[in-house]
Amino acid sequence: MDEKNMTVITVIRLLGFQIPQCLTFFVFFLFLVIYCVIICGNLLIITLVFYSKALHSPMYFFLSQLSISDILLATDVVPNMLHAVLRNTTTVSVSGCLTQFYFFAATETLECLLLTAMSYDRYLAICKPLHYTLLMNHQFCWIIVVTSWSLSFSAVLISTLTISTLQLCGPNIINHFFCDLDPILQLSCSDTTIIQLESTSLSAMFAVVPFFIIVVSYVYIIVTIFEIPSITGRQKVFSTCSSHLTVVSIFYGTIVCVYLIPSRGQSWDITKFLSLLYTVVTPLLNPIIYSLKNKDIKQVVGKIINNFLNLHFKSHANLQISL
């Protein structure tokens, strides 16, 4: 029996990015700024949707839930990654590693379901406009959101509990910056067939099927757009779903690169870089894309800025009069 099968581990060491010492503080500062932008940008989206009546629609309601999911994902991964950058490595307990995997997998699953709900919303708005307010009402939106959150966290809990029954053996090193499924399974000296079957089934149910629904929705949307006689009308309709289509492309594009493209012979540096795209870059880009490409959000932000400036100038004028 080799050494791996003899040593049961309780602590896992994450190697992180293994960057040169001279770049440590630069990379740390870069990821810290990105994390702050992720939190502030997504909190801005949530606040705007909550307070602005102009954004009280199903699409923006789903967007606010997507922002909450992005904050959870970034908070689950980035702080530990920052510690690994400073120390060139970091250690976590096995239970801590499983907890990180649980929230990572649950938020990724939730994002798949929310993006699917948003595509269905765009399908109804563009292809079934006369039935939109009847079908996509306030109660139905809440049912979709509660169901998405419940399914995501309960389904991933099943896999996490199965992983927790595995016996993990030394060496206790994961060449990654967070606890993903494959690196954890590589530490196992138990049979991983069941968990791999569970993972494949859940991926098909909560990633492949939602992606298929999104594709079908956009096929109908594109067909409907091309039936509009005027070019201006087509552009106006397409602009209502361009932000969502961009986010879907980025999210599923990175997921496909990491999990569906064969990884044999692929270095861990490439794997870590691709993983960085959907754990850090996607939560960073989501609020930026919706802020820059969405007319309604830009109008609300502009109105808030104008109100703030008017209030500031009015206060300054009153102060000068009183003096």
Side-chain angles (χ1 to χ4, degrees), residues 54 294-306:
N294 193 284
K295 183 179 178 181
D296 293 334
I297 290 182
K298 286 193 289 186
Q299 287 178 344
V300 170
V301 172
K303 186 177 179 181
I304 291 174
I305 293 174
N306 288 333

Side-chain angles (χ1 to χ4, degrees), residues 269-280:
D269 290 335
I270 297 176
T271 301
K272 285 187 277 189
F273 173 75
L274 293 174
S275 299
L276 196 66
L277 292 178
Y278 65 85
T279 56
V280 178

